[in-house]
Amino acid sequence: MTHFPRAAVLGNPISHSLSPKLHSYWLNRYGIEGEYTALKVTEDALETTLRELPGKGFIGANVTIPHKVSVMQFADQLTDRATLIGAANTLIFKEDGRIFADNTDGYGFMANLRQGAPEWDPKAGPAAIFGAGGAARAIIVALADAGVPEIIIANRTRAKAEALRADFGARVTVVDWVQADKMLEDANTVINTTSLGMTGAHEFKVSLDALSSKAVVTDIVYNPLQTPFLKAAAEKGCTTVDGLGMLLHQGVPGFERWFGRRPEVDDATRAAVLA
């Protein structure tokens, strides 16, 4: 039995995760005795694993694909944010065995955007989002909280985008994927939440011709760091923000809760994770 706090990231697959590198760097940087590891967990073993971890010295966990939605059914307490988003990525194991679940993806997205584009004004115009998955849900909540007046969504399967409109109301507008380039005309903020452009995935082929040079453009993909989508936006003169910072910032609240120190996301953190 270990006498220092332990945390983990749970997913399947999990070998690609940069979270162990991030949290191990912070533990070392702040001289905290602790451990953070990656655990490959199948859907069938998820509940059993969650029940066993506290007895093995684990005080919390991050949750990644494909467990962010299903983990909620095993939580004893959900934050309003996790409930609204419909997914959880950060767990805290209480001493009495109860599981507290939160979602920090929206926080990570917003902190990254404000760090990478400090002049960004959320109220200056609509936001255009490519994709309608779990990350998009968290980002919609964060943008709405920040005061973005309209959020326009295009997804390859329109029904998924319509489901977001049903959940989040009149501030959300849906356009067909074949018309996705049109939603860029007045967009102040443009976000790719799809896997298009990721190493090994299909290309991002939507035209950015209508994109204003005043727009702030970000991609949640971070492999490669500068996606073709971001390169094309930069060529238009836009301020661009890569996706790595979202991963780094979303880890901050969990680390603070588990290990008692609020970590800093700076150039040294980025360099350590990319090394």
Side-chain angles (χ1 to χ4, degrees), residues 139-219:
I139 288 168
I140 287 168
V141 172
L143 291 173
D145 285 348
V148 172
E150 183 185 11
I151 298 164
I152 311 166
I153 302 173
N155 191 61
R156 284 168 289 183
T157 306
R158 184 181 173 109
K160 285 189 72 178
E162 292 286 3
L164 296 188
R165 189 183 192 285
D167 285 349
F168 297 116
R171 196 180 308 201
V172 175
T173 303
V174 176
V175 301
D176 284 324
W177 185 257
V178 292
Q179 300 289 321
D181 59 323
K182 301 289 194 296
M183 70 178 181
L184 302 178
E185 291 174 1
D186 300 313
N188 175 58
T189 315
V190 180
I191 306 125
N192 176 39
T193 73
T194 75
S195 60
L196 297 175
M198 183 188 292
T199 301
H202 293 293
E203 290 178 53
F204 185 97
K205 292 184 177 179
V206 178
S207 170
L208 301 187
D209 286 348
L211 188 61
S212 165
S213 62
K214 295 178 182 178
V216 172
V217 180
T218 185
D219 197 329

Side-chain angles (χ1 to χ4, degrees), residues 1 6 53 70 73 76 80 83 127 150 176 179 182 227:
M1 180 72 181
R6 305 175 75 192
L53 286 178
S70 53
Q73 66 188 298
D76 301 289
D80 292 343
T83 302
E150 183 185 11
D176 284 324
Q179 300 289 321
K182 301 289 194 296
T227 61

Side-chain angles (χ1 to χ4, degrees), residues 85-150:
I85 293 167
N89 75 328
T90 303
L91 306 178
I92 296 148
F93 302 138
K94 305 284 192 176
E95 288 185 8
D96 60 7
R98 290 183 305 136
I99 299 172
F100 175 87
D102 193 11
N103 190 308
T104 65
D105 281 336
Y107 166 83
F109 170 81
M110 196 59 66
N112 183 42
L113 197 58
R114 292 193 184 282
Q115 185 175 45
E119 302 301 315
W120 176 68
D121 177 8
K123 299 176 182 177
I129 298 178
F130 296 98
R137 296 182 69 89
I139 288 168
I140 287 168
V141 172
L143 291 173
D145 285 348
V148 172
E150 183 185 11

Side-chain angles (χ1 to χ4, degrees), residues 34-85:
E35 179 183 279
Y36 188 102
T37 187
L39 297 175
K40 182 177 179 179
V41 180
T42 63
E43 194 74 36
D44 291 345
L46 182 59
E47 182 177 12
T48 303
T49 301
L50 290 172
R51 303 297 178 205
E52 290 177 348
L53 286 178
K56 296 179 178 178
F58 285 85
I59 55 174
N62 286 125
V63 183
T64 188
I65 294 171
H67 303 315
K68 287 187 180 185
V69 174
S70 53
V71 75
M72 293 179 69
Q73 66 188 298
F74 307 123
D76 301 289
Q77 185 180 353
L78 297 164
T79 62
D80 292 343
R81 184 168 46 196
T83 302
L84 184 61
I85 293 167

